[in-house]
Amino acid sequence: MAVDSIMTTYNRLSVAFDHGEGSWLYDTDGNKYLDALSGIAVCGLGHAHPAVTQAICEQAAKVIHTSNLYTIPLQQQLADKLTQISGMDNVFFGNSGAEANEAAIKLARRYGNTVRKVENPAIIVMENSFHGRTMATLSATGNRAVQAGFEPLVSGFVRAPFDDINAIRTIAENNPNIVAVMVEPIQGESGIQIPADDYLNQLREVCDQNEWLLILDEVQTGNARSGKYFAYQHNGIMPDVVTTAKGLGNGMPIGACLARGKAASVLGAGTHGSTYGGNPLSCAAALAVVNTIESEQLCERATELGNKIVAGFRERLEHADYVKEVRNKGMLIAIELSEAGTELAVLAKVKGILLNVTGGGKVIRLLPPLTMTDDEAELLVNTLSAIIKVYAADERSPESEAADPGNERRSS
Ligand SMILES: *Cc1c(COP(=O)(O)O)cnc(C)c1O
């Protein structure tokens, strides 16, 4: 494949997909793959969901884009829907997770400068976090590999260990410049790292005591993936700012930064913008997604199916000492290995399963469509368990054949 005209910012697997349906993707040779990644937590409704397809086609035939210089009724409808679901007050729309987080970072800076009147406002961010690839969001990200070579980084971020509330309290005592904490409720890119049950509640308390904004990055955890529309809804708390993107458009680029209370009035007219953000086409798609999450009860389904998948893996991989832990919150699923197993993404692809290995190569990350059927989930558990067992038994020869995993992959 001629790839030289594309910058090599990605290491890609050598497969190209022609079309998809539900939990399945079909490559250009007609082979089918069970998609346990959903384009990295994006296609939560699966591929070619009729409600989304219809919304996009109908809207594309009417008007795609008008700009934010005019009223956009679909954007208003989507904002009404999202604020009603989340309990937040208002929304700024962009086109990606990084842009949603940029809006949140700008909001926190402006809150610091104009409301708190702090001289050099700073935001607490976590080790091993991921917030995006723009200059501000990569500076907020807790991964040197993402930052290396892009110095000077954006200043005004103070790093803290994740899931360590005492570290946050210590910073509160020592740093009067802090105006916000920005955190993923569950760290996604670093391998589905789930904090203590009451971590967000304690963060909320510390933020209240210090007049800090609590900013939750739900780019990956939002839109029903964790088993609630937003992951903070498991904790019964409210953030001041929450961002989301990945699952919101089912593949149509859209990001949202929602704000509440004192945070909702910080960004006034002329302070921030986006030409495309919340245009009629992306909002039509996102409205179809949000309505489908409700009508198909996908929050409940994510909890039920995620727990079922994890029970299946635990049963089959119980005695595999290569597997350190299987964990999940809804359909954010991790199989943590005791050693790096990056090749497993390639081996699984050969066997017709799409997944991703993250967290330093040690975590198999599964983000299947929330619409996956029980039979597909069983196929995923059986096939992947067999692949992992063979890999664990004979790590040094990745070419070795997995026992018949019972997959249905074939040419058509
Ligand atoms: C993917 C991700 C981002 C970045 O989103 P993009 O759409 O790639 O800019 C930010 N935060 C989290 C938690 C993510 O998972």
Side-chain angles (χ1 to χ4, degrees):
M1 214 196 316
V3 294
D4 49 334
S5 61
I6 296 175
M7 279 195 199
T8 50
T9 58
Y10 280 91
N11 283 314
R12 298 169 199 269
L13 295 189
S14 58
V15 62
F17 300 110
D18 175 73
H19 64 282
E21 195 187 343
S23 306
W24 298 90
L25 278 170
Y26 298 78
D27 72 15
T28 43
D29 297 325
N31 300 307
K32 70 187 232 180
Y33 301 79
L34 185 57
D35 188 359
L37 188 61
S38 310
I40 319 184
V42 167
C43 302
L45 308 191
H47 300 283
H49 191 289
V52 181
T53 305
Q54 190 188 342
I56 292 171
C57 290
E58 284 179 10
Q59 190 56 43
K62 283 171 77 181
V63 64
I64 292 175
H65 178 85
T66 56
S67 96
N68 282 300
L69 302 180
Y70 307 102
T71 301
I72 301 174
L74 282 164
Q75 191 182 114
Q76 186 64 56
Q77 278 181 49
L78 180 61
D80 289 348
K81 193 85 203 172
L82 286 173
T83 51
Q84 173 228 316
I85 288 173
S86 63
M88 304 298 284
D89 289 335
N90 56 19
V91 192
F92 173 84
F93 289 106
N95 310 288
S96 65
E99 278 181 78
N101 286 337
E102 281 278 344
I105 292 164
K106 284 182 69 176
L107 193 160
R109 285 266 183 107
R110 210 173 156 83
Y111 166 75
N113 284 307
T114 65
V115 180
R116 292 281 316 283
K117 304 198 192 308
V118 169
E119 198 156 332
N120 280 305
I123 303 170
I124 297 178
V125 287
M126 303 301 162
E127 289 170 6
N128 301 316
S129 61
F130 184 81
H131 298 296
R133 298 284 195 158
T134 61
M135 277 312 305
T137 60
L138 78 82
S139 302
T141 290
N143 180 348
R144 274 304 295 160
V146 171
Q147 300 171 335
F150 296 109
E151 296 81 3
L153 301 181
V154 174
S155 63
F157 294 108
V158 172
R159 192 75 53 198
F162 182 61
D163 195 15
D164 181 347
I165 196 67
N166 287 328
I168 305 295
R169 291 199 179 105
T170 303
I171 295 171
E173 283 163 23
N174 296 301
N175 192 333
N177 290 329
I178 304 296
V179 296
V181 178
M182 181 166 169
V183 61
E184 297 157 87
I186 293 165
Q187 291 187 330
E189 297 304 299
S190 63
I192 317 294
Q193 308 296 343
I194 306 170
D197 283 346
D198 63 350
Y199 180 55
L200 290 187
N201 303 70
Q202 295 191 314
L203 277 179
R204 178 70 272 175
E205 203 178 290
V206 177
C207 286
D208 286 342
Q209 286 161 355
N210 293 281
E211 287 180 78
W212 298 348
L213 299 181
L214 178 59
I215 304 174
L216 298 181
D217 178 347
E218 296 230 25
V219 170
Q220 189 159 160
T221 54
N223 308 292
R225 180 138 304 267
S226 80
K228 298 277 188 189
Y229 195 91
F230 285 113
Y232 67 80
Q233 293 170 325
H234 291 286
N235 294 75
I237 56 129
M238 288 297 299
D240 301 292
V241 177
V242 60
T243 60
T244 196
K246 287 190 167 96
L248 183 56
N250 214 54
M252 185 62 76
I254 185 166
C257 173
L258 294 84
R260 185 183 66 90
K262 57 184 184 285
S265 52
V266 169
L267 292 179
T271 59
H272 195 43
S274 164
T275 299
Y276 289 138
N279 83 8
L281 188 63
S282 61
C283 288
L287 261 175
V289 169
V290 178
N291 287 329
T292 304
I293 285 173
E294 284 188 334
S295 65
E296 296 188 10
Q297 297 178 300
L298 293 181
C299 289
E300 293 79 0
R301 179 63 181 160
T303 298
E304 179 196 39
L305 191 58
N307 290 346
K308 196 166 174 168
I309 289 172
V310 159
F313 279 124
R314 286 191 178 136
E315 193 184 311
R316 280 165 190 76
L317 297 172
E318 210 181 0
H319 302 296
D321 54 12
Y322 188 69
V323 174
K324 205 173 146 195
E325 189 186 38
V326 182
R327 60 176 174 265
N328 77 306
K329 189 84 179 175
M331 289 286 265
L332 293 148
I333 302 168
I335 302 172
E336 182 163 346
L337 310 170
S338 50
E339 288 162 52
T342 320
E343 311 93 286
L344 276 162
V346 182
L347 294 176
K349 188 209 79 176
V350 171
K351 296 290 175 189
I353 303 276
L354 302 176
L355 52 78
N356 166 252
V357 181
T358 186
K362 284 189 173 181
V363 179
I364 300 173
R365 179 172 51 161
L366 304 176
L367 303 162
L370 312 178
T371 51
M372 185 173 260
T373 66
D374 287 347
D375 286 350
E376 290 163 350
E378 201 179 317
L379 181 65
L380 170 64
V381 169
N382 290 337
T383 309
L384 184 54
S385 297
I387 293 168
I388 293 170
K389 278 184 187 165
V390 170
Y391 180 73
D394 193 7
E395 221 178 308
R396 275 162 209 280
S397 67
E399 274 92 347
S400 66
E401 277 294 306
D404 176 22
N407 87 28
E408 302 176 2
R409 195 175 153 237
R410 60 176 177 268
S411 291
S412 59

